[in-house]
Every structure is written in structure tokens, then in C-alpha cells.
Amino acid sequence: LTSLQMLNEPKGCASKPFEKKKICVFGAGGYLGSAVFGFLQRAGSLYGTGVSGLSSPRAIAATASSAEALNKVLGSAFKLAYAGEDLVRLIDTSDVDHIIERVQSYDAAVLGTVYQLEKRAVTLNTYEKTPNDKTYDFYLDEKYGAWENDVPSDDSEYHAQIFSNSLQALVESGSMKHVVVIETPRTPDPMVFINILEEVGIPYTYLRIKGKLIKDISFSFDKGVKDSLAVSKYQPEFIYPIENEVYENERPVYREDVAALVVQSLMSLDWNESRILEIASSPLPLNNHVPTKKQRTDRDWCINSELLEISLNSETISPAQIKEFGISTQR
């Protein structure tokens, strides 16, 4: 093997493709969550990715509203893909035991920090105590048309509680090996979530998006990655919120590319290590991929995904480097 080949050898679930890993996505009713789910579903249909297509991926949400939103995205962006009831589980976010039952036997999970919340009626025959019970459904970054009146603010402790309960359940499930956490633009204090991750002790990949998240309104999976993305080691002593002017001055980042990067990170990066990565738009964004009628897309989970693999392998951070650079995990 050449040094370049060794560098690009997968260390994640793609390193042992016959040991297919089951992955769940929290907040899958949000657009970013739906896109992650869609790419995982495609990856699970192909050999070599190490992603299971059997009862996986699993969408974790609070109400049936999320399943409806998820399937709208899958149907339009992933060529009539569909998540049936067997791939969706509704959780009471306040009950750790309830969450554990719905994530048991899963190997990895994708979560957000601060979700978009929407007050909804608890879906009948799930975890309601009375027919009029209400809850907050949670969306990984945002759901089109969500009604955000009368919900906890972004700086509310409610978000940390959802995150903490979810992680506790994942650890206590006994099968969870790695989590990928996306820092959403709504996150006022990233250290709250980093501290929770460090306390529970599960290996993690924490992604910070440096730039405004935008959506490709005409996206379909066969268009592939629009931007190879710049992935950099995060080395400060303390993780501060990304300032608004940074968002405005940086090139925007496509949600679909972030979703593909999440899936690629699960395939490429070592699940036994923790890392904090900052994601920005590449200085050399790609031209839009226009699939031809002759081109087959059934052999790829995502066109141009190898570019994301190269970006991830060239810049990663290990627990040793976290200590070396003194990234604080204490307030």
C-alpha cells in the first residue's frame, strides 16, 4: 500500500463492511436529520459501507409529525425512498428508560445540540397519559413550516436535558459505540454539550459548521456533493459560540453536504476516538454534478463522497491532541 492509500483506508464502519452497523438519527423530522437518514438508507443498501440496511437507519422522534416530514424529504430528494413504521420510533424525551427501549441493539447515533422545537399532541397509542397530552417534537436543524410559538427558548436548559437524557439512554443501552453530534446554529453555548459528552464518556465526533447553513431546493441524491468541504482540527483552549459576523463572512455550507459528511465520518473515522472538527466551505467548490441518463447511480450512496473521505482523513483530531491543545471541558 502507498502512504496515500494507507491514509485513506477507512477506520470506521467501512473498515469491516461485513459487520454491518445499525445507526439511529435523533430529530430525523428536521431537514438535516432527514438528509442524514436518506444517505444512511442508501449506504445501507450497498455492500462495502459497513452500514446496516436491516431495521436501520432508525428515525428517533417525539411525534408522528416527524415521520411525515421525513418521508416528504425522502420521497423528493432520495428517489421515492420511504421510512415505514418499522424504521421510526417515538420517544418520551423526559424518560431515559423509554428511550433505552427504542435504541437497544444500535451501534451508533446522530444527534444535534439545540433542536428546533414544535409543540404537538402526543401521538395516540404511544406514551400519552391522557388523550390531550402535549409534547415538544424536536427537529435536527429545522423543519419547514414548524410552528415555534410557545416552546422553550434556544438557551433553555430543556435542550441540555434532551441531549443528556438521549446520551444516557444510548450509553445504558449497552450496544452504543459512537455518536456524531452536529452543533446547530441555534447553539448559544457549545461547552454545555461538550461537557455532557465528556461526562458520559462515549466516543464522539463533534461537528461545528463555520458558515450559514443553506439548502439546495432542487437537491436529489444523484446530484451528489456540491462542496468537498474544508475540515479542520479544532484546537482552542475553550470552545466559544461562533459569532454572527463569522457566519455572515464565511461562504455558506449546504445542509446536504453536511449530511453526507456525517455518514462519511461514520465510515471513515475510528469509532474508538473522540474528535472535534470544524467544517467550512472549501475554497474550491465543485461544479454541480449533472447525472446523465446513461450514468448509473445505484452503485453509489452519494456521488463525489470520496472527496469528503479525503477531507476527513487529512484533518482529524484524536483524544491525545485534545489534551495536547488543552481544549477545556470544564466551565
Side-chain angles (χ1 to χ4, degrees), residues 295-308:
Q295 183 179 2
R296 294 186 61 171
T297 56
D298 56 347
R299 296 173 184 170
D300 293 292
W301 69 269
C302 174
I303 302 291
N304 289 334
S305 60
E306 65 278 1
L307 298 173
L308 299 178

Side-chain angles (χ1 to χ4, degrees), residues 195-215:
N195 285 337
I196 294 170
L197 281 165
E198 290 287 334
E199 284 164 16
V200 299
I202 192 168
Y204 62 84
T205 298
Y206 186 94
L207 302 178
R208 310 195 78 203
I209 317 301
K210 190 178 177 185
K212 185 178 180 181
L213 281 172
I214 59 173
K215 175 182 175 182

Side-chain angles (χ1 to χ4, degrees), residues 22-235:
K22 294 165 72 174
I23 300 165
C24 54
V25 182
F26 283 72
Y31 181 76
L32 185 53
S34 297
V36 171
F37 186 98
F39 281 127
L40 282 171
Q41 199 171 39
R42 285 203 54 75
S45 69
L46 300 170
Y47 181 76
T49 61
V51 177
S52 174
L54 191 64
S55 303
S56 173
R58 173 170 285 181
I60 305 293
T63 75
S65 165
S66 280
E68 187 180 329
L70 169 62
N71 278 315
K72 280 184 180 175
V73 174
L74 293 179
S76 61
F78 291 89
K79 294 290 171 95
L80 302 180
Y82 183 74
E85 289 184 9
D86 60 318
L87 295 180
V88 180
R89 291 294 183 274
L90 305 184
I91 60 167
D92 177 354
T93 55
S94 66
D95 186 341
V96 172
D97 289 335
H98 193 266
I99 303 171
I100 290 173
E101 290 175 16
R102 284 145 189 83
V103 296
Q104 275 178 333
S105 82
Y106 279 72
D107 302 289
V110 179
L111 305 93
T113 48
V114 175
Y115 298 100
Q116 182 187 48
L117 301 176
E118 184 178 32
K119 197 170 188 177
R120 308 284 304 191
V122 176
T123 305
L124 292 177
N125 301 317
T126 56
Y127 54 88
E128 77 279 14
K129 294 177 175 63
T130 74
N132 298 319
D133 280 358
K134 296 281 194 291
T135 190
Y136 298 115
D137 209 346
F138 57 102
Y139 308 127
L140 181 43
D141 124 275
E142 63 180 35
K143 185 190 88 169
Y144 178 74
W147 187 253
E148 291 189 75
N149 286 13
D150 194 23
V151 298
S153 62
D154 290 346
D155 59 0
S156 161
E157 291 183 5
Y158 183 84
H159 295 279
Q161 196 59 55
I162 292 181
F163 191 74
S164 179
N165 288 352
S166 300
L167 280 175
Q168 186 182 341
L170 292 170
V171 171
E172 292 182 15
S173 72
S175 58
M176 190 60 45
K177 300 171 184 67
H178 195 83
V179 296
V180 178
V181 177
I182 302 168
E183 182 187 305
T184 65
R186 298 169 173 266
T187 308
D189 187 356
M191 286 309 299
V192 168
F193 301 92
I194 295 286
N195 285 337
I196 294 170
L197 281 165
E198 290 287 334
E199 284 164 16
V200 299
I202 192 168
Y204 62 84
T205 298
Y206 186 94
L207 302 178
R208 310 195 78 203
I209 317 301
K210 190 178 177 185
K212 185 178 180 181
L213 281 172
I214 59 173
K215 175 182 175 182
D216 177 1
I217 57 172
S218 64
F219 176 76
S220 70
F221 82 89
D222 52 2
K223 287 172 69 174
V225 172
K226 297 172 75 72
D227 187 329
S228 58
L229 298 178
V231 180
S232 56
K233 301 172 185 177
Y234 206 72
Q235 303 173 358

